[in-house]
Each structure stands twice: as structure tokens, then as C-alpha cells.
Amino acid sequence: PKPKEPEPPEQQPGTVSRAQGGVAKLFVAWCGDCRAVLLRGRVALRVSEDHRPNRNDEKNRIQRAGGMVVKDARGIWRVGPRADNKLAKELHKGKKDPDKMRIFVSTSRGFGDAELKAPDPILTATPEVRVIDLVPDD
């Protein structure tokens, strides 16, 4: 009779034999309109969600910070300052360039656009973070 081949040890989801402690984690941080994708086997998994102005949580944060969310003529959601926020008050006092009130961007988080971060934090550079347990197929 043919000798039996040893069976490979069973691995539970979230365990990777080469990882210290057997568990490997992927830490993903993103800000703005960047995207993270994980390949699991032959399937691409989206592990981040774009920071779009029309996302309910982002829209609420923007409005609390003194901004507004509008849809332009091309159907693109945009973020900009409200007429009654701190930036508008500084413009009326002559402390800032009035053209700054016309700035509207299509993402609700990012590293640039400093005039939309102070004095009102309409945009933020604070990333969203997700921790993913990796499996052997990753």
C-alpha cells in the first residue's frame, strides 16, 4: 500500500504561519480620495471608503465645522465655506482674500487647501483607520 501523505496543519482565518504569534494584521490609514484594495486569493477587496462630501458622516462633520455641501452643475458633490462661518467673518473684516470664499473641493478630507482648515476645520487631514486580519490567501 501507498504510504499516507501527512496532512498540512489547518490554519484558522486570521492566522499566518510566518507572522509572530500567528496573527498578521494590516493597518490601513487613508485621507481624501485615495483608495486601498487587498487581494484575497483572486478577489479584490475594497478596504477603504472614499471621503466624499455626500457621505452622511462627512456631511454632518462639515456642516458642524461651518461648511456646506453642494452639488455642482455637473453633478459632483463639493465642500466649501458657508457665508456665516469664521472665514466669512474674517473676509468681511478685510483679513482674508474674498476669493477664498469661492473655494469648493470634491473631497471632504485631504492634506492641501489650508484655507478650508483654519479658522474653520471644514476639511481635515485626520485619516480614517481600519485594521484587517490577514489570512493565508492575502
Side-chain angles (χ1 to χ4, degrees):
K2 189 175 180 182
K4 269 190 172 180
E5 289 184 23
E7 290 185 27
E10 237 181 82
Q11 287 189 323
Q12 300 172 4
T15 64
V16 178
S17 58
R18 290 174 277 145
Q20 187 176 6
V23 178
K25 294 186 179 291
L26 175 66
F27 293 81
V28 180
W30 69 98
C31 184
D33 56 0
C34 59
R35 185 165 298 159
V37 178
L38 172 68
L39 188 60
R40 180 163 284 165
R42 292 178 168 239
V43 178
L45 301 175
R46 187 177 189 170
V47 294
S48 65
E49 186 178 337
D50 296 352
H51 292 119
R52 297 284 179 210
N54 59 329
R55 230 175 80 175
N56 282 336
D57 58 337
E58 291 293 304
K59 185 175 182 179
N60 290 336
R61 184 192 57 73
I62 291 161
Q63 290 172 338
R64 282 192 312 271
M68 65 180 182
V69 176
V70 295
K71 196 183 239 186
D72 71 11
R74 293 186 175 112
I76 298 169
W77 289 97
R78 298 201 176 268
V79 176
R82 267 195 330 245
D84 63 342
N85 73 3
K86 292 176 190 172
L87 174 60
K89 291 172 186 167
E90 287 185 6
L91 291 171
H92 291 300
K93 293 177 185 173
K95 293 181 181 178
K96 300 254 182 178
D97 179 6
D99 286 338
K100 300 295 182 191
M101 278 302 283
R102 297 187 191 138
I103 295 173
F104 280 82
V105 296
S106 61
T107 186
S108 56
R109 296 188 191 205
F111 293 110
D113 303 300
E115 49 280 327
L116 293 176
K117 292 187 173 106
D120 296 306
I122 297 167
L123 289 185
T124 181
T126 304
E128 196 167 339
V129 178
R130 187 167 291 160
V131 180
I132 299 152
D133 288 332
L134 296 176
V135 297
D137 286 344
D138 294 339

